[in-house]
Amino acid sequence: MTECYIRVAEDENEEPMEIPSEEDGTVLLSTVAAQFPGACGLRYRSPVSQCMRGVRLVEGVLHAPESDWSNLVYVVNYPKDNKRKMDEMDAASAVKIKRGVQKTSDLIVLGLPWKTSEQDLKDYFNTFGEVIMVQVKRDAKTGNSKGFGFVRFTDYETQVKAMSQRHMIDGRWCDCKLPNSKAGPDEPMRSRKVFVGRCTEDMTADELRQFFMQYGEVTDVFIPKPFRAFAFVTFLLFFSLYGYNLFCVGHSVCPHI
DNA sequence: GTTGAGCGTT
């Protein structure tokens, strides 16, 4: 099997998004989660039985149901806990990962050509999704571009998409990143690193990674040596929390600023 | 009139 794209959607009736497989034909859960934050698996409707079937998931790797993914539309699974009412505020339900309520934030666009205008930026990013705002930062006196700007999208999924790739704008490669200077005005407590308390000595970095990847792409797991009963898990994107949380295996989690 | 890692006049 070779590299291909599989069609993935939030719901059977929603427009699918194409997601790349690996060279061996498998699909990484982290690739799915990059477009559908909080995803923990995939399912599909069997053309034979007409029942929903789960896609085999082994250690973060999704395996094609048959010899290949064929042309089916795969539907994203989310942890069952996400569907619980938030007023329970227990365990995993306290973690804000539900898709669609994620607020967008301004993204800094680095590496713009000097000639690129706000209209150029808007025209370019509108091909990803609805754009709320674009700015090109300029020298106050001369009006010359400083070579960077900002963009804000309506939908968080568009923002994630924009951040996940490089951009060819007017002949130069540009990057969209979360600005480190100013956070959004009404953002909740956010961090890319969470403190994981009450760890047991037998917990491995890989186990932590496997667990937390349902909330987003994990970029680092730190376990102090010698054993100190805590760990840090760092995400690629900001990880929004309502506050101090417990997750389902009973270990405490809180943001690390 | 130049430049090419960075971080936002209102």
Side-chain angles (χ1 to χ4, degrees):
Chain A
M1 196 165 358
T2 54
E3 195 178 11
C4 65
Y5 282 85
I6 69 165
R7 298 194 294 162
V8 178
E10 181 99 345
D11 203 284
E12 276 191 279
N13 301 317
E14 299 238 349
E15 186 186 348
M17 176 182 291
E18 293 195 329
I19 286 183
S21 75
E22 299 305 297
E23 284 183 0
D24 64 0
T26 62
V27 172
L28 300 181
L29 180 57
S30 55
T31 305
V32 177
Q35 305 304 327
F36 300 91
C40 66
L42 291 178
R43 64 186 188 277
Y44 66 101
R45 188 170 294 282
S46 163
V48 180
S49 70
Q50 291 301 314
C51 285
M52 296 307 289
R53 288 185 178 174
V55 171
R56 183 182 306 282
L57 173 64
V58 182
E59 293 184 340
V61 179
L62 291 153
H63 296 266
E66 307 290 338
S67 55
D68 61 49
W69 295 92
S70 66
N71 203 28
L72 300 171
V73 172
Y74 294 85
V75 180
V76 182
N77 288 337
Y78 294 102
K80 282 208 164 52
D81 286 313
N82 294 358
K83 293 174 183 167
R84 281 196 226 152
K85 294 172 191 163
M86 284 308 294
D87 58 9
E88 290 181 20
M89 284 304 280
D90 68 336
S93 67
V95 180
K96 181 187 181 182
I97 50 177
K98 195 175 175 197
R99 232 173 127 258
V101 295
Q102 293 271 24
K103 289 187 182 132
T104 62
S105 53
D106 292 358
L107 298 179
I108 187 163
V109 189
L110 271 352
L112 291 174
W114 312 117
K115 56 168 278 199
T116 298
S117 69
E118 307 210 331
Q119 188 63 50
D120 295 333
L121 262 195
K122 184 158 192 174
D123 290 344
Y124 173 78
F125 283 114
N126 258 327
T127 64
F128 288 79
E130 190 183 347
V131 171
I132 299 177
M133 178 280 305
V134 288
Q135 292 177 344
V136 171
K137 290 303 169 190
R138 300 175 182 280
D139 183 283
K141 271 193 215 156
T142 67
N144 293 332
S145 167
K146 291 183 178 173
F148 71 94
F150 292 86
V151 61
R152 188 154 187 167
F153 295 99
T154 305
D155 298 317
Y156 186 73
E157 62 192 71
T158 313
Q159 172 173 326
V160 172
K161 172 102 169 86
M163 291 175 58
S164 68
Q165 64 171 83
R166 306 247 288 156
H167 302 275
M168 177 57 75
I169 302 175
D170 291 340
R172 269 183 63 92
W173 284 111
C174 304
D175 296 292
C176 285
K177 297 177 179 175
L178 290 165
N180 41 30
S181 53
K182 201 174 76 177
D186 50 3
E187 293 296 331
M189 184 158 42
R190 301 163 97 224
S191 175
R192 288 165 57 176
K193 186 186 282 188
V194 294
F195 170 85
V196 184
R198 298 182 59 190
C199 295
T200 51
E201 195 155 10
D202 61 318
M203 289 171 66
T204 66
D206 199 48
E207 282 172 344
L208 282 171
R209 178 181 292 271
Q210 290 302 324
F211 176 81
F212 279 99
M213 66 187 295
Q214 69 183 306
Y215 302 117
E217 187 167 339
V218 174
T219 57
D220 187 57
V221 176
F222 174 75
I223 298 178
K225 299 277 177 349
F227 174 67
R228 292 181 62 191
F230 69 86
F232 289 118
V233 175
T234 307
F235 293 88
L236 175 66
L237 304 176
F238 282 114
F239 185 78
S240 295
L241 300 170
Y242 282 125
Y244 289 75
N245 305 287
L246 296 173
F247 62 94
C248 68
V249 286
H251 309 271
S252 63
V253 180
C254 72
H256 179 259
I257 310 296

